[in-house]
Amino acid sequence: MTTEKDVFEAVNPATEEVGETYERHGEVEVDGILSEADETFESWRARRIQERESMLAEAADVLRDRKREYAETMTREMGKPVTQAVAEVEKCAWVCDYYAENAAEHLQDGRIGGEPGTKTYARYEPLGVVLAVMPWNYPFWQVFRFAAPSLAAGNVGVLKHASNVPGCALAIEDVFDRAGFPEGAFSALLVDSGAVEGVIRDDRVRAVTLTGSNPAGEAVASTAGEEVKKTVLELGGSDPFVVLGDADVEAAAETAAQARNLNSGQSCIAAKRHIVHEDVYEGFVDAFVEEVEDLTVGDPTEEDTDVGPQARGDLRDGLHEQVRASVEAGATVETGGEMPDSGGYYYPPTVLTDVPEGCPAANEEVFGPVAAVFRVEDEDEALELANSSQYGLGASVWTDDLERGERLTGRIEAGMTFVNSLVRSDPRLPFGGVKKSGYGRELSADGIREFTNKKTVWIQEAGR
């Protein structure tokens, strides 16, 4: 008999109603999944890379053919506005296409000059079973940006997804099944977070990638370090959005509203701290607030919804507590900031100004549709504030002087810095952070090589 503790419940954050339930995997099932993955690796790594690329292209086709179905699963489980969910599935197809077209090139042997009469080069070999611990906020994209390059390289993947998106985890497994990948090439583990340590310590698992909170990253890195297993961590972010005195204020404000509230504000690379030169501060705040107030908050299944609910009730409540504490410390609410009376885990897009140092909006990662705006006197003060965070994921600089903008990218402590654009992930570009935002890189050539053994090969004739 199945008990309540044996299942994951998918709660619709827009209605607070329980939808599907999914049985947890027990120890025997976990062991079977890891055994199958380990056995599959030996045959999968031996396949010609062109075969693996071809299957990724098939996965892209599956995603495009069933994008509405997968998008609606995301919307039901974590509240993403459905048009953004469709775009997320399309982006997953893009990353599959990218590695279907470029994996062989990224993994080709690198010739290295050695001694006369020798052949020396480096080649990239897969590691084996890679455990992916993934979050709920981009429940398809976060997985595919790991899975596409890792599978193309010849690894196999095991996914421990967030407990509130079990349907998404099984849907992703289904994508690879439909695309013709062998059993065990990619599998979902429906387990609690408490089971992760044991899976990492299992000898069949060779590496771990995690996207999530800093405490989760610290725990995973600690366990993997004890086992001497490779890790890639993409953790929190408190991205600065720097608007200099010569910036196009209207363009900056329009993009800032999008960058802060995309995915209902639940994004590591969202613009969170808006650092604005005093010469354009008033104009930016007025335009920014107007753009934010024009966003449509509502039912995520409706095509015109810009901002849906927060993914869980506790996340919404924690977000409001950060706003409340920041206001008590002296911050001013320009718009939003009030808990709605209606059902669902909704929170209004909020703009805070006069944000004092030390309050949550200034020092913590605010994971929801809440923007903090800071006034600065000059470029140096803007950079000092931008770099004052413990995080270093992304950053955005706004200026009409492109040479100045490019120069400033070298002074900002971040894994990615964009000039006159919101921070984004792109299969063609390396993605990752520094400081408390993690280490390692995903996507591009760097991402596919993270979970490979870069093996040096030296060949010379006998007797030389």
Side-chain angles (χ1 to χ4, degrees):
M1 178 179 177
T2 299
T3 67
E4 187 176 319
K5 293 184 177 180
D6 295 327
V7 300
F8 288 112
E9 294 181 338
V11 178
N12 187 327
T15 64
E16 304 182 44
E17 296 175 352
V18 176
E20 298 290 329
T21 59
Y22 301 83
E23 289 191 23
R24 284 174 166 82
H25 289 146
E27 291 184 9
V28 173
E29 292 164 304
V30 170
D31 182 70
I33 289 169
L34 294 180
S35 291
E36 184 177 53
D38 191 44
E39 292 169 6
T40 299
F41 170 63
E42 293 305 320
S43 59
W44 180 243
R45 71 179 301 183
R47 297 228 189 177
R48 295 173 62 247
I49 192 168
Q50 290 77 13
E51 291 183 63
R52 301 198 293 266
E53 288 177 322
S54 178
M55 289 186 191
L56 274 182
E58 288 292 328
D61 289 341
V62 172
L63 286 161
R64 280 186 283 262
D65 289 344
R66 307 174 74 88
K67 64 183 178 183
R68 187 72 189 192
E69 173 190 336
Y70 297 142
E72 290 175 353
T73 300
M74 279 188 264
T75 299
R76 282 195 306 274
E77 292 195 333
M78 54 75 60
K80 186 186 299 290
V82 70
T83 54
Q84 296 177 29
V86 169
E88 181 170 336
V89 179
E90 291 172 341
K91 191 169 185 177
C92 294
W94 179 24
V95 78
C96 289
D97 283 336
Y98 175 81
Y99 285 106
E101 296 166 3
N102 296 286
E105 178 183 350
H106 290 334
L107 296 174
Q108 65 184 335
D109 295 344
R111 308 292 295 202
I112 303 171
E115 294 185 8
T118 66
K119 179 181 180 182
T120 52
Y121 61 94
R123 69 183 179 209
Y124 298 93
E125 298 179 349
L127 297 181
V129 179
V130 182
L131 171 66
V133 182
M134 292 291 138
W136 48 262
N137 59 325
Y138 286 90
F140 268 62
W141 172 243
Q142 307 277 22
V143 177
F144 273 91
R145 78 181 188 198
F146 146 74
S150 190
L151 290 169
N155 295 301
V156 297
V158 174
L159 169 65
K160 190 283 174 203
H161 219 327
S163 60
N164 60 328
V165 289
C168 291
L170 295 177
I172 294 168
E173 184 181 78
D174 181 64
V175 170
F176 291 113
D177 288 343
R178 291 177 182 274
F181 283 73
E183 290 289 329
F186 188 90
S187 305
L189 284 177
L190 299 186
V191 295
D192 290 313
S193 297
V196 169
E197 179 178 349
V199 175
I200 295 173
R201 294 190 187 279
D202 193 291
D203 289 340
R204 292 165 291 191
V205 172
R206 301 299 299 275
V208 189
T209 181
L210 175 139
T211 298
S213 68
N214 286 82
E218 291 163 6
V220 164
S222 176
T223 302
E226 291 175 5
E227 300 295 326
V228 196
K229 295 180 179 180
K230 176 68 181 289
T231 54
V232 169
L233 302 180
E234 194 266 280
L235 307 176
S238 187
D239 286 10
F241 188 98
V242 179
V243 183
L244 299 176
D246 61 347
D248 182 333
V249 171
E250 295 296 329
E254 181 180 358
T255 302
Q258 177 189 5
R260 173 61 276 195
N261 294 286
L262 191 66
N263 201 39
S264 305
Q266 300 165 123
S267 172
C268 294
I269 56 172
K272 299 189 174 83
R273 295 176 298 131
H274 300 75
I275 301 168
V276 186
H277 191 280
E278 61 182 5
D279 288 350
V280 295
Y281 178 85
E282 299 295 342
F284 175 83
V285 170
D286 289 344
F288 186 34
V289 170
E290 182 178 350
E291 292 285 348
V292 167
E293 290 180 341
D294 281 346
L295 296 170
T296 299
V297 181
D299 184 347
T301 66
E302 296 292 335
E303 298 289 329
D304 63 349
T305 294
D306 298 309
V307 179
Q310 300 299 281
R312 298 195 313 262
D314 63 310
L315 298 171
R316 187 269 315 269
D317 295 344
L319 178 67
H320 184 61
E321 176 58 27
Q322 288 178 305
V323 171
R324 188 198 61 77
S326 298
V327 171
E328 286 188 357
T332 299
V333 177
E334 300 290 343
T335 188
E338 296 292 336
M339 191 81 81
D341 294 330
S342 58
Y345 306 137
Y346 290 92
Y347 200 79
T350 298
V351 177
L352 302 177
T353 57
D354 306 317
V355 178
E357 182 179 350
C359 76
N363 289 61
E364 299 175 5
E365 180 178 26
V366 180
F367 210 67
V370 177
V373 186
F374 303 84
R375 184 198 301 260
V376 294
E377 294 183 357
D378 54 34
E379 179 182 297
D380 288 338
E381 185 182 359
L383 291 172
E384 182 180 0
L385 183 55
N387 291 333
S388 65
S389 172
Q390 63 180 329
Y391 298 107
L393 190 53
S396 181
V397 177
W398 289 77
T399 174
D400 276 350
D401 185 341
L402 296 186
E403 290 186 4
R404 181 189 193 190
E406 186 170 4
R407 173 173 54 81
L408 293 183
T409 66
R411 298 180 62 191
I412 292 180
E413 298 167 356
M416 305 163 287
T417 303
F418 288 63
V419 177
N420 297 331
S421 173
L422 77 167
V423 178
R424 66 189 73 198
S425 53
D426 183 314
R428 300 164 295 188
L429 303 174
F431 181 94
V434 295
K435 300 197 288 188
K436 288 289 188 178
S437 289
Y439 52 76
R441 290 297 179 265
E442 298 176 294
L443 303 175
S444 74
D446 301 84
I448 197 171
R449 293 170 182 166
E450 281 284 7
F451 293 115
T452 61
N453 169 25
K454 188 174 183 180
K455 178 183 285 185
T456 296
V457 179
W458 176 300
I459 301 170
Q460 71 180 47
E461 295 179 11
R464 286 185 63 90

